Amino acid sequence: MSQIGNAIEKRDQGPAAVIEQYKPELALVAASHVKVDTFARLAVGVLRQNEKLATAASSSPGSLMSALMTAARLGLEPGTEQFYLRPIKRKGVWEVQGIVGYQGIVELIYNAGAADSVVVEVVKRNDRFEYVPGRHDRPIHEVDWFGDRGPLVGAYAYAVMRGGAVSKVVVLNRNDIDRAKAKADGANTEYSPWRTDEEAMWLKTAVRRLGKWVPTSAEKLALPTAAASDRPALPAAPVIDDTDPDDEGPIEGELVD
């Protein structure tokens, strides 16, 4: 177990007390826009609403704090679709696992200030979907919102950058999604979001691939002034790494690890 895990075990008085005790450490790693008191209250609230998660946090407070440290570093809200907290059993011991959600990756893209909008959608069998690279700058996707859309068949993501240019369009079919799921840690366990929130995980897989092509940042970067608006945006520092065990592995690319 890590040094922080060993220290937590010695000081543990229950998950809520551990979070309170380690707020100074959370403050040291948190993105600048994170209000640590609010962050801690959110985390405690999630534990109180989920008995299994609370049991895992009591069993392994070190894993709880490891997950919360990651959420704080990325500036994401724990226990939401930005950053899932789930119980997972490893070698007979319940632990807390932190998983960046698709809304969390979208937030990291917006933080970098280079994108005006991020579009990430699933495609279902009865939708009309058309995208030909070189002919279309973005997909044509028509949905009957009040009819039977059928099962999931794919997902896509792209960003409209400042100035109007469209980023690379990521399009994934079911086989692409299945390959990503096969590499995910514990994807078929009871509390995995692949089982509890499958559509969100399809969205996440698409927007995570988009992270190869657009800047991301844990910090909310200030937009350029009007005088500098014609200058190209600088790439933000990489923030997504392989600490998320439910991903298909670290992103490889110019902007994101």
Side-chain angles (χ1 to χ4, degrees), residues 70 73 98 100 208 239-251 256-257:
T70 299
R73 177 176 64 83
V100 180
R208 184 173 171 85
V239 296
I240 302 175
D241 56 29
D242 60 350
T243 58
D244 182 348
D246 230 27
D247 285 318
E248 63 270 25
I251 287 178
V256 182
D257 290 343

Side-chain angles (χ1 to χ4, degrees), residues 91-241:
K91 298 180 179 179
V93 178
W94 283 102
E95 297 180 356
V96 176
Q97 185 179 52
I99 303 171
V100 180
Y102 86 93
Q103 289 186 1
I105 299 175
V106 170
E107 184 74 8
L108 298 176
I109 293 172
Y110 278 128
N111 284 352
D116 277 340
S117 64
V118 179
V119 178
V120 53
E121 297 285 352
V122 294
V123 181
K124 299 189 177 182
R125 180 173 295 163
N126 296 332
D127 297 352
R128 175 177 176 262
F129 180 85
E130 184 178 357
Y131 176 63
V132 180
R135 183 188 304 172
H136 303 129
D137 70 339
R138 69 195 78 187
I140 299 169
H141 185 198
E142 297 178 0
V143 177
D144 179 0
W145 296 109
F146 303 104
D148 178 10
R149 294 179 62 193
L152 292 163
V153 295
Y156 65 93
Y158 64 89
V160 179
M161 312 306 287
R162 301 185 69 216
V166 177
S167 73
K168 179 179 175 65
V169 178
V170 172
V171 180
L172 304 176
N173 60 28
R174 177 174 284 277
N175 288 336
D176 298 322
I177 300 293
D178 286 345
R179 282 194 294 270
K181 180 180 177 180
K183 296 178 182 178
D185 181 20
N188 294 314
T189 59
E190 180 181 359
Y191 298 101
S192 169
W194 281 103
R195 295 189 64 178
T196 62
D197 201 353
E198 183 185 23
E199 186 169 312
M201 295 306 290
W202 283 53
L203 293 168
K204 176 187 174 178
T205 304
V207 77
R208 184 173 171 85
R209 300 282 179 87
L210 177 64
K212 295 180 181 181
W213 305 100
V214 297
T216 61
S217 176
E219 299 289 345
K220 294 182 183 294
L221 302 183
L223 296 178
T225 63
S229 61
D230 292 334
R231 294 199 292 267
L234 294 175
V239 296
I240 302 175
D241 56 29

Side-chain angles (χ1 to χ4, degrees), residues 20-62:
E20 181 65 28
Q21 290 166 355
Y22 280 84
K23 282 199 303 186
E25 283 82 353
L26 286 170
L28 287 175
V29 301
S32 60
H33 63 275
V34 173
K35 297 180 179 178
V36 174
D37 286 340
T38 302
F39 181 95
R41 284 196 295 271
L42 285 171
V44 171
V46 171
L47 294 176
R48 288 174 176 169
Q49 294 169 16
N50 187 321
E51 183 177 351
K52 285 285 188 181
L53 185 62
T55 299
S58 296
S59 171
S60 178

